[in-house]
Amino acid sequence: MKKLIFHLFMSMFLIVSVSACGSSSDLENEAVKENKEKEDEASNEAKPEKLIIWEEKGRAEALKPVIEAFEKEYGINVEHEELEIATEMYERLRRDGPIGNGKAPDVVTFSHERVGQIVKEGLIQEVKVKDEVLNAFIEPSIRGEMYQDKVFGLPKSVNTSVFFYNKKLMAKAPETMNGLYKMAKDLRKGKVHGYYAKWNDFQDSYGVIAGMGGYIFKDKNGKLDPSDIGLNNKGAIKGAAYIQKWYRAGLIPKGDKAAIEKLFIQGNLASIMSDGNSFTERKDIGIAPMPELPNGQPMKTFMEIKGWHVTAFTKHPYWSTKLVEYLTNDDNAMQRYDLIGEIPPNKSIKHNAAINENERAQALSIQLQYAEPVPNIPEMNKVWGPMNSAMDEMTTQKAKPKRALDKAVKTIKKER
């Protein structure tokens, strides 16, 4: 009797299990079908006769061949205009977008630092692409294009600061900042300065502060918390004190950007921390990643990401997104590098000979592994002023690091 009951129970269990599996499978099939229908619906968006794209001034050389190929493949005319990216593009988008007078662009380019602000202003829209598209890029470049867990652009180029050195004064780039400090002291016994970084400015000094343990806003599960500021923690104070050490030793030359660059070009400055796109290719100038900090950590320089964004005013979001995908695919990203030298954020560049054989590109690709995107949330606008003042006070007025950083953080929190 017990055996009969057991067999009856097992039979019922198997029937229920099979039914459940069938239901689960049906649900999965329904989900796939629903996604397919949504995709088909989106792709059925009427094909426009024309799309308008705004490119950064001086970069059309890289844009033209790509849009010509897009036109040929999809039969859509693409008009482009070059604008100054920092202010002109932003102001015109705010002005022409809401009017809907036919002058508003479908696709624009911005630095990722603006993303949070222009999303809040309703100037760009979420870019909806498949995961396989997003996975083609290095993770920080996509993070820089995100705001409130949504992606608002695809990255076209990345940049950060690297180490430039005069090969006549330095046989090779030092591996550590401690090694560089010793070189700089030896060179300073003569008429030459050994190293320059604009550490009285937060843009350059953050690499040291972050590498020593400081942070701007705490990253909590991929979201930046503007209420948690780490610019006056122990690591940040150590970083600031290390920077101050260089100034107290008289090792950082004074002067504006033009004067410092002249000093470097003329051979009176052995090395300089500068934007990866600085200085034309010269045989006497070497390029390397930033040397390691005294705590054994890499310098976490700021990363700038420039991306393509679909405007909130386009009548063709599907085809505008298709254009953005096309502009940033692996082949077109490398073509952009070949034409104007901008480093692509695409993972595939690791295996590209053109990148691996170029000293500048190689230095950038290594340093970018440690670089951090400038926070793109609007609260970041409140950070620059107080932190620039703090760094200036520590490097020129010899203010104590803890006091200067405490003051800066207090001001940031007050202005938020």
Side-chain angles (χ1 to χ4, degrees):
M1 184 66 179
K2 287 181 180 179
K3 286 184 179 179
L4 178 61
I5 292 170
F6 175 76
H7 286 304
L8 284 170
F9 173 78
M10 288 303 294
S11 297
M12 291 175 68
F13 175 76
L14 288 170
I15 290 168
V16 172
S17 298
V18 170
S19 299
C21 289
S23 300
S24 176
S25 179
D26 290 342
L27 286 171
E28 287 176 6
N29 289 335
E30 282 297 319
V32 170
K33 184 179 178 183
E34 186 180 346
N35 288 337
K36 179 83 167 57
E37 286 174 354
K38 286 181 179 179
E39 191 174 323
D40 289 343
E41 184 181 344
S43 63
N44 286 332
E45 175 187 283
K47 187 181 286 189
E49 292 183 7
K50 178 180 72 174
L51 291 172
I52 299 173
I53 183 170
W54 285 355
E55 169 65 292
E56 182 180 1
K57 190 165 285 187
R59 297 290 189 268
E61 178 188 353
L63 180 65
K64 287 177 182 177
V66 183
I67 61 177
E68 285 172 6
F70 181 86
E71 289 173 333
K72 186 176 181 181
E73 183 167 339
Y74 293 103
I76 301 172
N77 181 42
V78 181
E79 290 185 3
H80 75 278
E81 186 175 354
E82 288 184 275
L83 299 172
E84 192 275 317
I85 191 172
T87 54
E88 185 183 14
M89 195 171 298
Y90 170 67
E91 294 299 336
R92 278 192 52 183
L93 184 59
R94 293 181 73 200
R95 184 187 70 211
D96 294 340
I99 296 174
N101 57 3
K103 293 182 180 180
D106 300 283
V107 174
V108 292
T109 183
F110 281 112
S111 168
H112 82 279
E113 296 174 49
R114 277 193 179 270
V115 168
Q117 186 62 40
I118 58 181
V119 168
K120 286 187 72 173
E121 291 186 38
L123 301 180
I124 60 174
Q125 61 180 279
E126 182 184 0
V127 173
K128 298 177 182 179
V129 296
K130 295 179 180 177
D131 286 344
E132 63 192 57
V133 173
L134 299 179
N135 290 337
F137 304 98
I138 59 174
E139 186 274 333
S141 69
I142 291 296
R143 185 161 25 104
E145 296 291 352
M146 294 181 70
Y147 182 66
Q148 296 182 339
D149 292 333
K150 294 180 180 179
V151 179
F152 286 92
L154 294 184
K156 67 172 181 176
S157 67
V158 283
N159 193 18
T160 193
S161 295
V162 288
F163 185 79
F164 292 86
Y165 63 101
N166 187 320
K167 292 180 179 179
K168 294 178 181 178
L169 298 171
M170 285 185 180
K172 62 178 182 177
E175 294 183 2
T176 67
M177 288 301 296
N178 282 342
L180 178 60
Y181 186 84
K182 291 176 183 176
M183 287 185 189
K185 289 198 82 170
D186 288 340
L187 287 166
R188 197 70 194 103
K189 291 172 184 176
K191 296 181 180 180
V192 176
H193 278 88
Y195 175 66
Y196 175 82
K198 196 178 181 184
W199 279 338
N200 61 327
D201 187 279
F202 186 54
Q203 179 74 35
D204 276 6
S205 62
Y206 180 73
V208 178
I209 288 171
M212 298 288 267
Y215 59 87
I216 301 174
F217 304 124
K218 191 71 172 179
D219 190 326
K220 296 180 178 178
N221 299 318
K223 277 188 176 181
L224 296 175
D225 181 358
S227 68
D228 188 340
I229 300 172
L231 290 172
N232 61 338
N233 66 13
K234 289 182 179 179
I237 293 166
K238 284 181 180 179
Y242 179 71
I243 286 172
Q244 195 176 62
K245 173 184 174 180
W246 283 75
Y247 282 83
R248 285 183 169 175
L251 298 179
I252 303 294
K254 296 178 181 179
D256 59 18
K257 183 180 178 182
I260 295 297
E261 289 184 354
K262 185 178 179 181
L263 205 65
F264 181 61
I265 295 298
Q266 292 180 342
N268 292 315
L269 174 62
S271 62
I272 183 171
M273 174 184 180
S274 190
D275 176 279
N277 292 325
S278 303
F279 311 108
T280 54
E281 302 291 342
R282 293 169 56 120
K283 290 182 179 180
D284 60 333
I285 293 178
I287 311 168
M290 294 304 301
E292 186 181 272
L293 289 167
N295 64 348
Q297 294 299 309
M299 197 177 290
K300 295 182 179 180
T301 50
F302 272 137
M303 178 190 295
E304 183 191 24
I305 303 141
K306 289 180 181 175
W308 293 112
H309 307 272
V310 176
T311 71
F313 313 108
T314 181
K315 295 178 181 178
H316 316 287
Y318 174 80
W319 288 105
S320 296
T321 302
K322 183 67 72 176
L323 175 57
V324 168
E325 284 187 46
Y326 195 84
L327 289 164
T328 56
N329 69 36
D330 289 351
D331 290 340
N332 289 327
M334 275 310 303
Q335 179 175 252
R336 189 176 183 89
Y337 167 75
D338 291 336
L339 291 171
I340 59 175
E342 287 186 349
I343 301 296
N346 305 55
K347 292 177 182 176
S348 62
I349 69 167
K350 287 183 180 179
H351 312 293
N352 192 284
I355 296 288
N356 293 329
E357 293 170 6
N358 182 280
E359 188 180 20
R360 180 188 300 268
Q362 185 66 7
L364 271 164
S365 65
I366 294 171
Q367 186 60 39
L368 284 163
Q369 295 177 48
Y370 314 118
E372 296 182 359
V374 178
N376 66 6
I377 58 177
E379 289 84 353
M380 183 62 192
N381 294 329
K382 306 296 184 183
V383 173
W384 295 110
M387 283 304 296
N388 282 338
S389 295
M391 296 314 302
D392 187 62
E393 287 173 11
M394 283 183 280
T395 55
T396 62
Q397 300 173 35
K398 301 181 180 179
K400 290 184 178 180
K402 186 179 186 307
R403 183 176 180 180
L405 293 177
D406 282 345
K407 178 183 173 183
V409 170
K410 185 178 179 181
T411 303
I412 293 166
K413 288 180 175 180
K414 185 178 179 181
E415 292 182 355
R416 261 191 311 111

